[in-house]
Amino acid sequence: MNLHALRIFVEVAAKGSVTDAAASLSISQPAVSAQIRKLEAELGRPLLQAKGRGIALTAEGQFLFAKARRIFEWERELEREWVEVKAGRCGRLRLASTYLPAHYLVPSWIAAFKRRHEQVDVEILTGNSAAGPEARRQRFGGPGRDRARPRHRRRD
C-alpha cells in the first residue's frame, strides 16, 4: 500500500474536502484526486463518494480512515519519542557493579542521573567480579565482552 497516497487520503477524509486537503498539503487538487483514484484502484474498493460540495466516506473509507489515522498518529508519537531517545532523556541504562560500589557509590550516582533523566530506566546488576562476562551476558542478554582495560601498564 502506498503510504503517500494513504497520507493524502487521511487528509481528505479529515478535511471532508479534496480542495481543503490539497491546500493543506500544498499540492494541486488534481494531484490529490489522482492519488485517491490510484489508492482506490490498488485496494479495489471506492473510498469516497460525492456529497454536495464535499465528500463522504464509504463504509470501506471509514474503516481505512480509522486504521490509517492510527498509523500516522503512531508516526508522530515515534518522532516525538525519538527526539527524547537521541537526547538521552529516555531509554535504558544497564550497569554492572561489584557489591561494594553498588552499595556505597552507585546509589548516589544513579540518583543524580535520574534527576536529570527521569524517563531512563535503570537496571543494576550486582555480583562478584569473578563471575565475569558470562554472568553479565546471561543477566543482560548482551554479548558479555569484558571491556575493562588496565589503567597502568607494567614496565619490565
Side-chain angles (χ1 to χ4, degrees):
M1 183 177 300
N2 182 322
L3 289 178
H4 176 68
L6 189 60
R7 187 180 308 274
I8 290 172
F9 166 75
V10 167
E11 192 68 20
V12 169
K15 300 282 186 193
S17 162
V18 173
T19 303
D20 292 346
S24 174
L25 295 167
S26 300
I27 57 178
S28 71
Q29 184 176 344
V32 169
S33 296
Q35 288 295 324
I36 297 297
R37 281 192 304 275
K38 284 182 186 178
L39 184 60
E40 288 175 329
E42 180 183 354
L43 298 176
R45 303 296 294 183
L47 302 171
L48 306 174
Q49 59 191 17
K51 180 183 174 190
R53 298 193 74 206
I55 57 99
L57 297 174
T58 62
E60 293 86 353
Q62 290 173 1
F63 171 82
L64 185 63
F65 178 55
K67 300 293 183 181
R69 185 173 43 194
R70 288 180 26 209
I71 290 170
F72 296 117
E73 286 170 358
W74 185 75
E75 177 190 34
R76 285 187 296 275
E77 178 184 330
L78 178 61
E79 288 171 345
R80 283 190 306 271
E81 289 180 10
W82 188 250
V83 169
E84 299 296 311
V85 168
K86 280 180 30 180
R89 291 187 292 260
C90 69
R92 182 170 32 159
L93 171 65
R94 297 185 301 177
L95 177 69
S97 174
T98 57
Y99 292 108
L100 187 64
H103 288 93
Y104 295 101
L105 299 174
V106 172
S108 62
W109 296 343
I110 295 299
F113 178 83
K114 286 294 281 182
R115 280 192 293 275
R116 290 190 318 259
H117 306 285
E118 294 176 14
Q119 300 303 316
V120 175
D121 294 325
V122 178
E123 182 179 353
I124 303 171
L125 170 64
T126 304
N128 185 334
S129 61
E134 182 61 29
R136 286 191 295 278
R137 182 174 64 243
Q138 288 176 0
R139 174 72 187 268
F140 287 131
R145 289 187 297 251
D146 192 352
R147 296 183 181 173
R149 295 182 184 164
R151 289 187 164 193
H152 303 287
R153 290 193 178 162
R154 189 174 161 178
R155 294 185 186 195
D156 292 327

